[in-house]
Amino acid sequence: MTITPIDLLASSLHLHPDGHVHTEKRTPDSDQDGWQLTAFHAKTGADVHADHWEVHPEAEEVVSCIIGKIRLHLRPDRPGQQEEEIRLVAGTAAIVPRGRWHRIELDIPSTIMAVTLPRGSRLEKRADV
């Protein structure tokens, strides 16, 4: 088997329960079985869809800041509560609970890596934007 480098910023890695890993060119509507590792460089809020909330109902998500500085926002569980904000700097990560709506904002251009089970993931436009 020939081992070749993988461009993490252009590909998604799919980690299957049987131990198999495969890569594919990243597409916005990718709906694969198994866990997905995605890395990307974000220069603006549009690169992290900061104007949308995202949820993964099938699994928790690890959101990590590889380079830069970002803020991970968790939508309140109940009306009247405040958003939670977690600041992530280079080399740190947070685990978003299963089924928790969240979004990312950039403090500076950053490289981000996320790992989750994407099946059933949804986006919802923020009402306050």
Side-chain angles (χ1 to χ4, degrees):
M1 174 169 135
T2 303
I3 298 175
T4 59
I6 300 164
D7 181 352
L8 285 178
L9 301 180
S11 305
S12 290
L13 277 70
H14 298 278
L15 315 171
H16 297 276
D18 65 0
H20 179 75
V21 177
H22 82 271
T23 64
E24 69 179 14
K25 183 176 175 164
R26 185 174 304 135
T27 60
D29 58 347
S30 180
D31 191 22
Q32 295 285 325
D33 286 336
W35 289 82
Q36 180 175 304
L37 181 148
T38 305
F40 58 95
H41 185 71
K43 294 180 182 177
T44 69
D47 295 329
V48 292
H49 53 76
D51 60 341
H52 283 77
W53 291 103
E54 178 177 35
V55 67
H56 307 288
E58 298 289 327
E60 296 175 331
E61 179 178 27
V62 177
V63 176
S64 56
C65 180
I66 304 300
I67 298 170
K69 191 159 74 170
I70 66 174
R71 286 171 283 130
L72 175 65
H73 293 264
L74 301 176
R75 188 160 78 180
D77 284 329
R78 295 180 194 86
Q81 291 181 329
Q82 296 291 324
E83 284 183 20
E84 291 180 56
E85 180 181 275
I86 299 96
R87 293 185 175 273
L88 298 175
V89 297
T92 63
I95 298 171
V96 178
R98 175 191 313 243
R100 187 77 186 265
W101 289 91
H102 60 283
R103 62 186 177 87
I104 296 172
E105 289 189 0
L106 302 176
D107 287 334
I108 60 175
S110 301
T111 301
I112 300 164
M113 184 173 67
V115 180
T116 193
L117 189 61
R119 190 173 45 243
S121 297
R122 298 188 320 265
L123 289 176
E124 180 179 288
K125 181 88 169 153
R126 286 177 50 202
D128 60 340
V129 179

